[in-house]
Amino acid sequence: MTKAESLIKIALSLAKKAEGRTSPNPMVGAVIVKNGEIVGKGYHKRAGDHHGEINALIEAGGKARGGELYINLEPCSHFGKTAPCADALIKAGIKKAFISMEDPNPQVSGEGIKRLRAAGIEVTLGLLEIEAKKLNEAFIKHITTGMPLVTLKAALSLDGRLATRAGDSKWVTGEKARRHVHRMRDRSDAILVGLGTVKKDDPSLTTRLPGRAGKDPVRVVLDERLEISPSAKIFEVSGRTKVIIATTDLADRKDIDRFSELGAEVLIFKNKKGFVPFEPLLKSLGKMGITSLLIEGGGEINASALEEGIVDKVAIFYAPKIIGGREAVGFVGGEGIMSLSDAIALESISIRRMGEDLLVEGYIKRSSRGATIHPSLQSGDE
């Protein structure tokens, strides 16, 4: 690894500190170097705050003049909640900029780099670009499609069962895996379940990490006819974060008003064969600034999400257990496929130990039926 790449790696590590906190903005870390020494570091901590390069400039002060910038994303060139970072870098006297990737935001899209070069700053683009795209994959998906990055998560036995034939699923996996799920919730803008999960488990869908750390995601429930109980746990903690009920034109108007009075936001869609259609729902969530969605549904929700092609990646926890049973609940319900050639394939697979369990993660292969993941989100091992 070159010196420049090692400094970009520091910038990526800084950016990652704000994982789950910057939506709908990207995670950005920056390092400023003068005469071979780091004089300033910074990252974008949350939406509305200073961007990473501005925080690095503040720390560097006058030492930034004549220095080099190392950053994982192109500096912005437009006025948003803050002034253009490209202008601040020019004013500070930065002489070189090493940037991992262009900003896919149409308002930027190379304009920040052009502005730096026009001011005489030498720009090197593409250092650790794959790592940079991976870090901000949710932002990239949202800014280019208007929809959140969708991760389908499940905890399964080795034979692919979510629960026993009696519906017992507590707990399939061990404590370390469950703790990791709460970290996933902490990093996600929203979490989605179906009415069946609410009726069966009555979950709070909050983030529970040691020391009460963590951020609760927006909670989304699919309920075609608004049959959810007003006493469900998700309404008990609704003041901590938003609850969204996605329903259809099959719901009764009185029920819609009742749940709105409880503090939930009710989204109404034209039913698709009696169900809530995923694509319009994702577009609505995207308009709310939700860039990442974690699906923790049952077999039928999983089947619908995969069938409609809205899933970008999967995270499956496998426990070293065999449940068995023809009537045990499987990972994916629905009608299934007739031919293996129609199977939805994964790529960019990773496998990690989680205590006694295994976590298998991967992206829906672009050539798979219904796959919608944006090409720039792939990690590159075609």
Side-chain angles (χ1 to χ4, degrees), residues 17-29:
K17 286 184 176 183
E19 198 167 20
R21 304 297 185 274
T22 63
S23 293
N25 295 343
M27 291 173 277
V28 179

Side-chain angles (χ1 to χ4, degrees), residues 246-302:
T247 190
T248 70
D249 46 10
L250 301 174
D252 189 281
R253 184 73 244 179
K254 291 181 181 178
D255 290 329
I256 294 170
D257 293 339
R258 177 172 59 163
F259 285 106
S260 296
E261 290 171 3
L262 276 175
E265 182 167 351
V266 182
L267 302 180
I268 307 166
F269 301 94
K270 182 175 177 58
N271 81 87
K272 183 178 180 181
K273 297 180 180 179
F275 297 100
V276 176
F278 270 108
E279 188 170 335
L281 170 59
L282 292 187
K283 288 180 178 177
S284 294
L285 296 178
K287 287 177 181 177
M288 296 177 188
I290 292 173
T291 66
S292 56
L293 176 68
L294 183 65
I295 296 180
E296 291 192 20
E300 296 307 313
I301 292 291
N302 296 343

Side-chain angles (χ1 to χ4, degrees), residues 359-372:
L359 170 58
V360 179
E361 295 177 290
Y363 293 83
I364 301 293
K365 198 168 185 176
R366 291 196 297 273
S367 59
S368 287
R369 176 183 47 150
T372 60

